[in-house]
Amino acid sequence: MPARRLVTALVRPPLRLDAGRVHGPGLPPPVVAAVDRLRAELAEAPFRAPTADRLGELGLTPPVLAVAERAGTILRLPGDIVLLPGADRAALRVLHDLPQPFTVGRAREALDAPRRVTIALLEHLHRQGRTERLPEGHRVPEDEQPGD
C-alpha cells in the first residue's frame, strides 16, 4: 500500500497489523494439523525430536516449519531439531536436578533424548546463558532458576 495510514485504516478484525505486516486470524489448517501431529508424537517423549524424514511425513515441510516457527508453535533448533515450545525450559529443569557438572551422556540419559537433540539443546541453552561449558562437562549455574 502506498501509505501506512491507509493500511492502518483498512485493517479490521480478524486481521491485525503487526510490525508493518497484516496477519490473518490464525494459522492455516495444514499448519495446525501438522503441529498437532507433532504434539501427539512428542507427548510421551518430549525430547525425541523427529528426524527430517519423519518431519516431512508429519506434514512439517520447510514452508510449514517456517510458518509454525514464526507463530511460536514449535521450537526449532539447528540441525533439523524440532520440539514443542517450552521444551528448552523443561530440559533445563531436568538438567538443573543432575549432579553438577554433567556430561553430554548423562544429560542424554536424563532427557531420554538422542545425542543430536541433547547437543542441540545444550548449545541452545548455552547461547541463552542458561548453562555453562566447563572442561569437565556442562553445568547449570547456581543462580539459574529453571522456571516453568
Side-chain angles (χ1 to χ4, degrees):
M1 298 296 271
R4 186 177 189 110
R5 288 176 290 155
L6 183 57
V7 173
T8 303
L10 293 174
V11 173
R12 297 279 184 260
L15 300 178
R16 64 184 169 79
L17 186 63
D18 183 28
R21 291 187 170 174
V22 177
H23 298 273
L27 293 172
V31 175
V32 172
V35 171
D36 285 347
R37 287 189 291 273
L38 176 68
R39 189 172 289 111
E41 181 128 333
L42 293 175
E44 295 297 317
F47 306 113
R48 289 194 171 265
T51 63
D53 288 342
R54 182 68 182 138
L55 287 172
E57 292 168 5
L58 294 170
L60 290 162
T61 60
V64 171
L65 285 169
V67 170
E69 183 177 22
R70 279 194 306 273
T73 60
I74 62 167
L75 172 63
R76 197 171 183 187
L77 302 175
D80 291 326
I81 307 297
V82 178
L83 299 169
L84 296 176
D88 51 349
R89 291 185 307 275
L92 186 63
R93 284 192 297 276
V94 171
L95 299 173
H96 184 268
D97 292 339
L98 291 176
Q100 305 290 316
F102 55 86
T103 63
V104 170
R106 182 67 185 112
R108 185 189 65 71
E109 183 179 291
L111 295 170
D112 186 29
R115 183 173 174 80
R116 69 184 182 89
V117 175
T118 303
I119 294 204
L121 276 167
L122 287 171
E123 289 176 357
H124 174 74
L125 292 168
H126 178 71
R127 279 191 306 275
Q128 290 181 329
R130 312 281 312 262
T131 60
E132 297 174 342
R133 287 188 197 126
L134 303 171
E136 61 273 14
H138 302 264
R139 78 178 186 101
V140 178
E142 290 180 24
D143 62 337
E144 179 62 48
Q145 296 301 312
D148 294 321

